[in-house]
Amino acid sequence: MHVKVISSDGHELILEREHMQIIRNNKAMLSGPGQFAENEIKESNFRELLPHMLRKVCMYFTYKVHYTSDSTDITKFLIAPETALELLMAANFQDCLKEIIASC
Amino acid sequence: MASFPPRVNEKEIVRARTIGELLAPAAPFDKKCGGETWTVAFAPDGSYFAWSQGYRIVKLVPWSQCLKNFLLHGSKNVTNSSSLKLTRQDSNGGQKNKPREHIIDCGDIVWSLAFGSSVPEKQSRCVNIEWHRFRFGQDQLLLATGLNNGRIKIWDVYTGKLLLNLVDHVEVVRDLTFAPDGSLILVSASRDKTLRVWDLKDDGNMMKVLRGHQNWVYSCAFSPDSSMLCSVGASKAVFLWNMDKYTMIRKLEGHHHDVVACDFSPDGALLATASYDTRVYIWDPHNGDILMEFGHLFPPPTPIFAGGANDRWVRGVSFSHDGLHVASLADDKMVRFWRIGEDCPVQVAPLSNGLCCAFSTDGSVLAAGTQDGSVYFWATPREVPSLQHLCRMSIRRVMPTQEVQKLPVPSKVLEFLSYVFRRKTPFPGRA
C-alpha cells in the first residue's frame, strides 16, 4: 500500500504506507474510513517543505522504521551541514503540528 | 551513602547486557603490583583491540575474531593463544591477510595506549621530508605505548615490530592520543606536569611542550576537528589548548578534586570530565559553561568531602559515538551508562576495580579494564537518534557555540543547539 507525498513545488514522492504512519500529524488522513484496494495511492500534502528537504525527511523515516525494529547495528545517518538547520526547523514544525492535532 | 538520587529505585534501572570478558592469566607469584589494566583502546578502523594487560605486556587482538569467540564460547574467554587458534580458519591462502594476535612485551609498565593511522594527504609539518627513515604508507596502523619510565614506544600493529622510541618525558606517560585528522600528531600527557606534541611523520620529532599544569597530568583528548586539545590533571585542572598555535584557550573551573579522564562528544560540542570529586561534568568547551552533572554519590558531597578520600572516585568517562550516551566507571563497583539530558543513569552493570573504559569504533560495545589485568565488555544502550539530534550534531560539527548564538532561530531552538538543559535548582556546591 503506497502513499504519495507532495512538496511545496509539486514534486511527488511515493512511499510505503507503514513508513508514513510515523507522520502522526496526518494520521487522520491515512487511516481514513473504508478499505482501499491494493496499490491504490493516496495523496498527502507537505506544501511547506522543499523537495530536497522532503526527500531527507522521508529517508529519515525509512531509517527510523528500519532500526526501531532491529536496533543491533544502527548505522550513521548523515546530514549535510548546509541543510541541517532547515531540516531541524522542519522537524520541530512536524512535532508542533503533531501536538496541536493530538490536543484537538 | 547512596549511589543514585533518592527518587530513583535502584532495582528499576536496566542492567546492561554483558558481551564478554578477557581474563588475565594468573599473576606471576613474585609480583604483587604492576598487574593493572591502565588503558584499553580500539583501532580507528575497528580491526584491533588493545589493552595493557599488566606486567609490561600489551595484548593486541583482532576485534572481529574476539567478538566471534565471545559468541561461540559463551561470555568467558581466557586469553591464551590456543583458544583463539581453535576458531581461526587454517587456510594457507588467507592466512597472510588475516589480522593476527600480538603479545608485546614493552619492557616497562604500560600506562597508556593509542592507535594512530595515517592519511596520505596530510603532509608532515616539517619541510624537509626527503631524509625521513619511515614512510608511513596507506596501510599503516600504529600503536603508541606510554611507559612508566617516560618513554613512548611506537609499534606497527600488523607486524608487532617496534618502529620508534620517543624519549623526552622523565616521568610516567599517563595518557596518549593521536589527532583524529590522520596527521599522526601524537600528544602525550605525563606526571612531569607537561604535555608533549610529537610529529610521527617527521620521525617522531617533538614539536612542542605544553606547560601550565602545576601537578600530574592524567589525561588528554583531541576535539573531533583536531583544533582543540583538552588536558586534565591533579589539583582540579581542566585546560583547553588551541592546537594550531599551541596556546592555552582557557581553564575550566568547577571540579573539587583531581580530574582523571576526559572525552569530547563526536560533534565537538560537549566535553565530559571525570573526577575524584565523585562527579562527571559535561562542559561546553567553547565557553566553559557546565551543562550537565552526573553524580555518583548521594547526597552530593560538600566541597571538603569531595576534595578528599570519599570512596567514590570516578576513574573513567567515555562518550559514545551517537553523541547521546556517556559511560562512567566509579569506585562503587558500577559502570553507568548515562543519556545526555537525564541526570540518572539509563543502564548500569557491576564492575569491581574498574580503571579505564573505551567505546568500540562502531559504538556498539564498551570495554572496561580492571586492576587485575582483565577486560570486560558490555553492549551499549542504542536508540534511533531523533531527526533533531542528528541535525544538531551536523550543525555543531562545524559551528562553535558563539556562532550558534547568532543564528536567526527561536530561542528554544538556540537552547537545543547549545545543549542547554534547564535545571530547576542550581548545581549543589556552586553559588
Side-chain angles (χ1 to χ4, degrees), chain B residues 57-111:
Chain B
I57 305 276
V58 167
K59 269 240 169 97
L60 276 169
V61 291
W63 177 235
S64 49
Q65 250 173 43
C66 196
L67 269 182
K68 257 190 256 175
N69 286 342
F70 289 147
L71 291 174
L72 288 173
H73 295 242
S75 57
K76 288 203 201 316
N77 186 11
V78 181
T79 53
N80 50 57
S81 329
S82 57
S83 67
L84 280 172
K85 271 185 199 149
L86 280 173
T87 52
R88 194 177 293 162
Q89 285 165 348
D90 275 355
S91 63
N92 290 335
Q95 199 68 0
K96 280 179 202 150
N97 299 329
K98 278 199 191 310
R100 290 170 44 221
E101 177 189 307
H102 293 291
I103 299 176
I104 301 176
D105 183 339
C106 297
D108 201 357
I109 295 177
V110 179
W111 285 87

Side-chain angles (χ1 to χ4, degrees), chain B residues 180-329:
Chain B
D181 59 5
S183 56
L184 287 185
I185 299 287
L186 175 68
V187 174
S188 55
S190 167
R191 282 188 185 168
D192 65 6
K193 309 178 199 169
T194 64
L195 295 114
R196 276 160 218 264
V197 185
W198 312 81
D199 186 348
L200 291 198
K201 286 199 178 182
D202 184 18
D203 276 351
N205 180 32
M206 190 192 68
M207 297 158 44
K208 194 76 189 166
V209 180
L210 300 176
R211 294 184 202 278
H213 280 273
Q214 302 296 314
N215 207 330
W216 290 3
V217 188
Y218 272 96
S219 182
C220 54
F222 265 100
S223 64
D225 61 0
S226 303
S227 65
M228 278 198 286
L229 180 85
C230 172
S231 66
V232 296
S235 310
K236 319 176 192 178
V238 181
F239 296 162
L240 280 175
W241 306 84
N242 175 322
M243 291 310 272
D244 292 315
K245 304 180 209 142
Y246 301 115
T247 52
M248 193 189 296
I249 302 176
R250 65 171 55 84
K251 300 187 185 186
L252 299 181
E253 314 211 327
H255 277 300
H256 299 291
H257 203 331
D258 297 355
V259 188
V260 299
C262 60
D263 200 14
F264 276 91
S265 64
D267 57 357
L270 301 175
L271 171 68
T273 55
S275 166
Y276 288 168
D277 69 2
T278 79
R279 294 178 181 94
V280 164
Y281 278 146
I282 307 289
W283 312 76
D284 181 333
H286 303 278
N287 58 20
D289 289 345
I290 295 183
L291 299 170
M292 286 222 75
E293 174 186 327
F294 295 147
H296 297 71
L297 181 62
F298 293 90
T302 53
I304 290 184
F305 192 43
N310 49 46
D311 282 336
R312 204 55 71 85
W313 289 359
V314 187
R315 303 268 179 176
V317 73
S318 198
F319 246 106
S320 87
H321 299 261
D322 61 3
L324 283 173
H325 294 96
V326 172
S328 68
L329 300 184

Side-chain angles (χ1 to χ4, degrees), chain A residues 56-57 60 63-64 67-68 71-77 79-85 87-89 91-92 95, chain B residues 17 321 361-362 364 382-392 394-395 397-398 407-410 413 416-417:
Chain A
K56 207 66 183 176
V57 168
Y60 173 75
Y63 167 82
K64 178 163 177 161
Y67 287 111
T68 306
S71 65
T72 44
D73 257 329
I74 303 183
T75 54
K76 288 194 175 144
F77 186 83
I79 301 176
E82 305 84 53
T83 48
L85 191 57
L87 209 51
L88 174 62
M89 304 299 284
N92 279 343
D95 279 353
Chain B
R17 183 170 64 93
H321 299 261
T361 318
D362 64 356
S364 58
R382 308 301 290 279
E383 58 180 79
V384 181
S386 67
L387 185 55
Q388 286 94 326
H389 176 66
L390 291 169
C391 293
R392 170 167 63 182
S394 175
I395 295 170
R397 267 180 229 267
V398 298
L407 288 172
V409 293
V413 178
F416 177 77
L417 282 174

